[in-house]
Amino acid sequence: MQIRKAVIPAAGLGTRFLPVTMSVPKELLPIVDRPLLQYVIAEAAEAGVEEVIIVTSPGKESIADYFQPHPTIEQRLTANGEDDLLAKVTEAGNLAKVSFVIQHEALGLGHAVLMAKNAVGDEPFVVILPDDIIAHSPGAISQMVQVSEKMDAGVIAVEELPWEVVHNYGVVDADPVSEGVHKIMRLVEKPQREEAPSNLTIVGRYILPPQIFQCLENTKPGAKGEIQLTDGLLALLQDHDLFAFEFAGTRYDGGTPMGLLRASLAFALDREDTSEDAIALLREFQNRTG
Ligand code: UTP
């Protein structure tokens, strides 16, 4: 079945990006000139997603504003013949149909996904975390859709990371099935290094069946009063297969200041219109590193 809908949780507090997130949602912070959200929506649209459901919270209205038409700017750019800029301004709204649901309190990622239950309905869908930015063509979601179709099951993106850092991530316990594909037995959230079943860490892309909603409804809040997506996935595993997939591409952590800086530099170096300036910038700063 085609994956037509994506859920993008964007109702978190963004504490790692304070103080800027006191008034600017983390999901609107830019890589070069586009917000994080736009990169993941473009990745979803490339994979055939037609409808994007963004989970936001009171106070994050600027996210919805971003996707509204901006007639004053558009008229000005049209009058000035600035077609390239005009295309940039209308790009976000043309990628997919975007709608919004509200999570009134940041009660966890699982809770945020559950808020999209009615909007998704009874079909498989993809969950995308907008602070995980993946650079590759074809995009990670396109790659995952292929695996999901082949295995006729849900798919979670994973990345092999050094053992020293696995305690910061969700990790899968999984058996290899084919190149880059592993059947998930168990998921462990932020395990101690000694207890980690593997160094395959979960990245923010999940293709899931609609039954996940029922699992989340039955999931009790964990230690911090939050409903974890991992706990819902563990319940789902009881009667649904899930596969971990090592996507091709580079993942950037847009959820931290240094991760976003790294992403910005990498994208600026890769983009034709900015690469020359980005190289000059790096050369300028090279002297400072001694
Ligand atoms: P994170 O845990 O990375 O985001 O959640 P956060 O909580 O906003 O950031 P920190 O940890 O305080 O710095 C990943 C994604 O899930 C969303 C976030 O907005 C982010 O896009 N999220 C998280 C929700 O929508 N609701 C929640 O209750 C928690």
Side-chain angles (χ1 to χ4, degrees):
M1 199 176 182
Q2 206 206 327
I3 306 294
R4 298 188 309 125
K5 296 184 181 180
V7 174
I8 306 185
L13 302 175
T15 50
R16 284 168 297 169
F17 250 117
L18 283 169
V20 68
T21 41
M22 288 194 291
S23 69
V24 181
K26 172 174 77 174
E27 299 76 10
L28 290 184
L29 293 175
I31 293 177
V32 188
D33 52 5
R34 290 166 173 83
L36 291 173
L37 258 179
Q38 191 160 337
Y39 289 90
V40 296
I41 295 176
E43 184 189 325
E46 183 228 36
V49 167
E50 295 159 5
E51 194 180 332
V52 171
I53 300 136
I54 300 179
V55 185
T56 61
S57 59
K60 283 187 150 184
E61 290 76 16
S62 52
I63 292 183
D65 290 347
Y66 184 76
F67 293 93
Q68 300 308 315
H70 289 79
T72 317
I73 302 176
E74 288 171 28
Q75 279 157 20
R76 173 73 67 92
L77 295 176
T78 308
N80 293 350
E82 296 186 79
D83 295 342
D84 289 354
L85 263 185
L86 185 64
K88 282 189 187 178
V89 165
T90 50
E91 187 184 288
N94 292 335
L95 288 169
K97 175 173 175 271
V98 178
S99 63
F100 299 89
V101 295
I102 304 286
Q103 183 190 30
H104 286 277
E105 232 187 305
L107 293 177
L109 184 55
H111 184 261
V113 172
L114 186 54
M115 297 300 102
K117 180 183 173 197
N118 290 339
V120 171
D122 193 23
E123 58 183 284
F125 64 105
V126 57
V127 174
I128 315 171
L129 303 194
D131 40 12
D132 274 338
I133 298 294
I134 302 173
H136 196 269
S137 184
I141 301 171
S142 287
Q143 299 170 42
M144 291 171 72
V145 166
Q146 285 200 352
V147 177
S148 175
E149 279 170 1
K150 191 165 165 219
M151 308 311 284
D152 193 20
V155 175
I156 300 178
V158 293
E159 172 182 47
E160 203 171 30
L161 285 182
W163 284 93
E164 299 80 70
V165 300
V166 293
H167 61 276
N168 296 315
Y169 295 86
V171 174
V172 296
D173 182 358
D175 292 338
V177 176
S178 57
E179 181 70 34
V181 180
H182 310 253
K183 185 168 190 297
I184 299 179
M185 302 298 160
R186 201 162 54 101
L187 303 122
V188 191
E189 197 51 56
K190 300 192 173 71
Q192 293 297 318
R193 184 183 167 162
E194 311 73 57
E195 280 152 28
S198 78
N199 59 344
L200 289 175
T201 61
I202 297 174
V203 175
R205 306 281 185 278
Y206 312 73
I207 292 180
L208 298 173
Q211 287 79 8
I212 186 67
F213 293 118
Q214 210 182 345
C215 297
L216 288 169
E217 275 168 343
N218 294 330
T219 299
K220 300 263 176 307
K224 284 192 249 159
E226 294 186 349
I227 294 179
Q228 301 294 348
L229 182 57
T230 310
D231 290 336
L233 292 170
L234 277 172
L236 186 72
L237 268 178
Q238 289 178 4
D239 34 36
H240 287 80
D241 284 346
L242 283 177
F243 291 88
F245 172 59
E246 295 179 75
F247 55 90
T250 308
R251 172 193 167 260
Y252 297 95
D253 180 5
T256 63
M258 284 303 123
L260 188 64
L261 183 59
R262 180 171 170 260
S264 303
L265 277 173
F267 278 68
L269 285 167
D270 282 345
R271 252 170 68 164
E272 218 172 90
D273 60 331
T274 50
S275 65
E276 226 173 274
D277 287 344
I279 291 167
L281 190 82
L282 285 179
R283 292 220 170 99
E284 181 194 333
F285 284 112
Q286 209 171 17
N287 301 332
R288 289 210 197 172
T289 58

